Amino acid sequence: MTDYVFPPAPQAAVAVRGASHLYAVSRIFCVGRNYAAHAREMGFDPDREPPFYFNKTPIDLIATGATIPYPLGTQNYHYEMELVIALGKPAFRVAPEQAEDCVWGYACGLDMTRRDLQIKSREMGRPWDFGKDFEQSAVISPLVPASEIGHPKSGNIQLSVNGELKQNADLKDLIWSVPEIVANLSQYYHLQPGDLIYTGTPEGVGPVKPGEKITGRIDGVGEIALTIGQPE
């Protein structure tokens, strides 16, 4: 038995709908500005340049239905509703035509963002880590296997805050589709089972405050919820 200076962190994992087993998570990739209207609302021209990515740490994962404290260091805490890809086979330098076969399932996700810290970092030409990679910033619903629901190429994706609709779009509006994302990312990484990819958010992002509840859904994939508590 290996001895450690401190006990290892628990294995990050996501529930699977209707099953007792869990999906172990190793890495979280996120696609930036993958809906044209959202790119415009953030002040960018959504041409079809190669996709770009940032990462979250698996320790950031939190299951749907949680109540979490308003995060540290921000006064502008934003929601971003997203389709999440879960890989089930290795993917290395695959073509888009091969990529779907590497996808195990899908989930609803919230890419929670400290927007003021993200924008400050962006303006200074620095990484987005402070704005994107922090505790409980990767909210996720139970995964549903592609063997059950297929590979969604269209369908409503929406988010509400306290029952008021804020984001309302269709998965067909993705600039880069699921197979294109997997294929592109596989040119730079040896993707493996356990890798999650948050695929980007539609327009309508905005702030939430303590006491507010976020709810979201994606046709055929599931639902997600998050309540914002008081700051620590």
Side-chain angles (χ1 to χ4, degrees), residues 33-47 175 203:
R33 297 196 293 265
N34 200 23
Y35 287 82
H38 172 59
R40 293 189 189 99
E41 77 177 347
M42 297 301 292
F44 295 90
D45 180 21
D47 57 13
I175 297 172
E203 67 176 319

Side-chain angles (χ1 to χ4, degrees), residues 121-132:
S121 297
R122 189 181 72 199
E123 290 175 345
M124 298 175 72
R126 295 177 177 174
W128 291 5
D129 296 43
F130 266 22
K132 289 289 192 178

Side-chain angles (χ1 to χ4, degrees), residues 35-98:
Y35 287 82
H38 172 59
R40 293 189 189 99
E41 77 177 347
M42 297 301 292
F44 295 90
D45 180 21
D47 57 13
R48 198 171 151 85
E49 62 183 1
F52 72 93
Y53 307 92
F54 57 91
N55 295 86
K56 288 179 182 277
T57 309
I59 199 173
D60 297 343
L61 281 169
I62 187 77
T64 178
T67 297
I68 63 173
Y70 193 91
L72 302 170
T74 184
Q75 282 76 51
N76 196 18
Y77 182 43
H78 278 212
Y79 54 80
E80 296 191 6
M81 181 70 190
E82 312 202 2
L83 175 70
V84 182
I85 304 165
L87 294 185
K89 292 182 181 179
F92 178 58
R93 294 178 177 168
V94 299
E97 296 76 22
Q98 304 165 314

Side-chain angles (χ1 to χ4, degrees), residues 162-184:
N162 293 340
E164 182 180 350
L165 188 63
K166 299 290 187 179
Q167 292 185 281
N168 188 30
D170 196 287
L171 296 177
K172 67 183 180 182
D173 298 330
L174 283 164
I175 297 172
W176 293 95
S177 68
V178 167
E180 289 173 328
I181 291 167
V182 173
N184 179 264

Side-chain angles (χ1 to χ4, degrees), residues 13-25 63-64 104 106-107 140-145:
V14 180
V16 176
R17 190 173 71 188
S20 59
H21 52 260
L22 302 175
Y23 177 93
V25 176
T64 178
W104 184 85
Y106 298 90
I140 194 164
S141 72
L143 286 162
V144 288

